[in-house]
Amino acid sequence: MLINHAALAALLFASGATLAQTVKISDGALQGGSEQGVEFFKGIPYAQPPVGDLRWRAPQPVKPWGGVLEAKNYGHDCAQQPFPGDAAPLLNAVTSEDCLVLNVWRPASPAEKALPVMVWIHGGGFVNGGASPAVYDGSEFARQGVIFVSLNYRLGRFGFFAHPALQQDALKGNYGLMDQIAALHWVQRHIADFGGDKNNVTVFGESAGGFSVISLLTTPEAKGLFSKAIIQSGSGRQNITPGLSWQQAQNAGVAFAKRWGIEGEGGQALAALRALPADKLVDGLNMATMNRPDYSGPMIDGRIIRGEPQDTYRSGQFARVPIMIGANDQDIGFAPVVTTLREALAPFDDKRYQTVLPLYQAEGNTPQQVAQTLASDRFMVEPARYVASVFSRAGLPAWHYRFAYVADSMRPEWSGAVHASEIPYVFNTVSARYGQQLSGRDRDMARQVHQYWVNFARAGDPNGEQLPRWLPYQAEKDNLMLFPAGGAADSAQVRDPWEKRLNQVAALADEKS
């Protein structure tokens, strides 16, 4: 929206914020806001709205605007069916197909030199999420001298869709990942205008955002767009839907088209699909309903996703950059319903079962709890260690962590750190997550974790003053930084306490690959 300066100034004054300095980029001028030593610029278009004939096309360059663009509020998050109970609820439940915007936070005081840049990719199973949740606010990073960028990318069928009519496109299928790459190109072109260093960009994400970072590390389409990466609960061995080919994804697209009476494989069918209202593409799709035959998710397209990540690593075709990677101690995994320990450990043959049984039964868990722990190990925990070992063997620094801290207010409900629970500590936005229930121990852990992430963005090394020493991963030491249940005072580098059982999971993964 082009700006009315008087109205904007009045609104910002009422909210406690003031006007930021106007920033001019090649697309036009931007007017954001300023509050408590941080300037923010929100809802900045990085591509044309992907609507009409641009639905299911690679993102197209922004058309320059005249005047000054108001950039004090978030743009729409991408079209979706919000997920009840989301740990990072959207600021506004009204979402839109017109959503390819990003946000920038920076220190209000000009720096003497270009500042490091961090680019956040949100999670949500590639069907939910956005940049607007309060726990993703970038102010604390800016206060530490980091230019922070968050972005929206197309989700669900808008972002991941295959159909015979799209077969001949050079870039096809994974439109949400194309959006992320387009946003990284935007950073390369424009972040210097905000005081950022385009040669010191750290891309990081959690869950689907972590899977996205893995994809960015393994595609030549993102070459040179970032210099460091952080993967939070992003697996690492396989894509989110292992082995999903273009043909299989195309079958899902054809099934979706038929649901709305659209037949054929040519331009007429594609035109009809592009004419469908956005709510028909959403069609109730979210993290609770995504396993359905007319939706595919990310697929092997041959350009952006060229295969399973572990195969790409083995071929040596990945970005040579420092990384941080890890998972939570009660991370996500999709376990079958079981009644016996043998069922819980069914992936292991009879001989190996006798070896792994005491490793998983050590804490007296029920069969279902054992099954869930194994599912988490296979989906998130062991793959993080695997990726750390790949980078380490390649002579690249890789810092491995495990997050096990639980907010004091959540201890009656959580026996460990569940999926995504580390995010407000990384962002130091724990007050937005826990409010008046926040404890001093929670704050201490947030300050510590946040500082490690900031240090890594600055210099490619998370270590710093008054922080426990954290060495890069070495397979023979199997070392990681443990952020433990006891709090920041107990954080320490340790040999992986789950080493023996993860060795068995790794052997199982290697046999099946």
Side-chain angles (χ1 to χ4, degrees), residues 3 7 51 154 202 267 282 294 326 364 371 377 430 455 472 483 511:
I3 201 165
V51 299
R154 282 173 280 183
T202 300
V282 174
D294 59 358
D377 283 354
V430 282
N455 290 348
F483 299 108
E511 288 171 4

Side-chain angles (χ1 to χ4, degrees), residues 143-164:
R143 291 190 180 99
Q144 293 260 31
V146 172
I147 306 295
F148 181 84
V149 180
S150 62
L151 62 102
N152 290 340
Y153 57 95
R154 282 173 280 183
L155 304 169
R157 295 188 186 91
F158 303 94
F160 305 94
F161 187 78
H163 190 273

